[in-house]
Amino acid sequence: MKRLILCLLFLSLTLACAASFAAPLQLADELSGTFEWFRSPGDSEAAYVYRYAYPQVLGEGDGVESINEFYQYTVEDTEAFTVPINGEQLPEDASPSYTDVTYTITCNDDQYFSVWVQRVSVMNGERQANCSAQVFSRKGEKPGGIVTLPYVLGILQDAEDDTWMQDRQTAKATACVRAMVWEALSARMGSGEVFLDDVDENAIGFLLYPEEDFFLDSEGNAVFFFQPGDLKAEEEGPVLVAIPLEDILDEI
């Protein structure tokens, strides 16, 4: 009986530990705020306003600190460099200008924490939009580090320090994904979706860098993105192409 009780206790503790690791990261209050840039100290209205929001997570270990520090550093860098540089580039008679930064958590599981960041700026009446993504690993030797596509696919390992191998595997993944993305876009064109006139397979090679231009979704897909204005009119937003990771591995 004692042996049975000990076995059950060990099993329950093992399951509890596994469940705690497998659980999604708990979200803390987001890191958000506003920076204002004034042309002169006595001005009552800011010439340029930068509003931002980024995720923060709770807990310790499992890469939590690295995730939080990445966005905290981003905000510090924005205040010290991005805001004053953008403000000083505005002409004297510029209309009030702004940048809004928002985010979406696209994947939060026991392997990855993936964030898609979108920025919209109106600078002296001209609108610009762009997006980026960060895929943080929760496994391997460096939990909390940002990983690129070859590492997500498993064709490169954390400990790999051979630059020839890194370049080779990255080039292999890049060529494969560009071909698969073009195939997907061609099918969408064939179904009547409208893109800019100069969108062809050649253009994909210049516009898409699969190593970093992707985020993960909760379905196990790598979602590759094109910047607004690359494939469609800018006001239509970014173009997304989702490809299961398993399909990419099958083609490599």
Side-chain angles (χ1 to χ4, degrees):
M1 177 61 74
K2 288 183 178 179
R3 180 177 296 178
L4 177 60
I5 293 173
L6 287 174
C7 288
L8 290 174
L9 179 60
F10 175 78
L11 179 61
S12 64
L13 288 173
T14 302
L15 291 174
C17 291
S20 66
F21 179 75
L25 291 173
Q26 297 297 306
L27 300 181
D29 292 338
E30 67 181 14
L31 181 63
S32 61
T34 300
F35 296 128
E36 295 183 323
W37 185 85
F38 295 86
R39 194 174 301 281
S40 301
D43 289 351
S44 59
E45 183 179 11
Y48 177 57
V49 177
Y50 192 105
R51 294 177 286 263
Y52 64 88
Y54 297 106
Q56 295 283 271
V57 292
L58 293 172
E60 296 180 354
D62 200 17
V64 167
E65 296 89 346
S66 297
I67 295 171
N68 289 340
E69 288 170 1
F70 174 84
Y71 292 113
Q72 290 162 10
Y73 175 81
T74 298
V75 169
E76 292 170 3
D77 186 70
T78 297
E79 182 179 23
F81 299 103
T82 305
V83 171
I85 289 173
N86 287 353
E88 289 165 4
Q89 289 178 342
L90 291 169
E92 288 288 336
D93 59 349
S95 57
S97 303
Y98 67 87
T99 295
D100 287 331
V101 181
T102 58
Y103 69 90
T104 303
I105 297 172
T106 60
C107 178
N108 182 10
D109 58 26
D110 64 332
Q111 296 191 70
Y112 298 105
F113 184 76
S114 179
V115 182
W116 189 36
V117 178
Q118 296 193 64
R119 299 172 187 81
V120 176
S121 295
V122 175
M123 307 296 288
N124 193 27
E126 293 188 11
R127 185 181 186 277
Q128 300 172 331
N130 63 75
C131 50
S132 60
Q134 297 82 46
V135 179
F136 298 93
S137 176
R138 296 187 63 195
K139 60 181 184 177
E141 297 182 357
K142 298 178 181 178
I146 294 176
V147 289
T148 56
L149 184 64
Y151 292 91
V152 173
L153 292 171
I155 62 174
L156 278 176
Q157 303 302 317
D158 290 345
E160 181 61 68
D161 58 3
D162 184 334
T163 55
W164 178 85
M165 179 61 72
Q166 292 171 346
D167 292 344
R168 177 180 181 275
Q169 297 299 77
T170 298
K172 185 188 297 186
T174 294
C176 176
V177 167
R178 282 175 175 166
M180 295 179 77
V181 166
W182 173 242
E183 182 179 2
L185 291 174
S186 297
R188 287 160 62 170
M189 292 176 184
S191 298
E193 190 170 350
V194 178
F195 294 86
L196 298 176
D197 291 340
D198 58 352
V199 174
D200 56 20
E201 188 171 9
N202 226 16
I204 303 305
F206 290 103
L207 297 173
L208 179 66
Y209 295 87
E211 182 183 6
E212 297 182 354
D213 292 347
F214 79 101
F215 57 83
L216 298 177
D217 67 16
S218 59
E219 304 300 318
N221 299 311
V223 182
F224 300 95
F225 56 84
F226 292 86
Q227 300 295 336
D230 278 355
L231 302 187
K232 296 186 177 186
E234 184 176 323
E235 59 269 20
E236 295 190 51
V239 173
L240 308 180
V241 179
I243 303 177
L245 293 173
E246 293 82 0
D247 290 358
I248 300 173
L249 284 171
D250 286 344
E251 294 295 325
I252 291 180

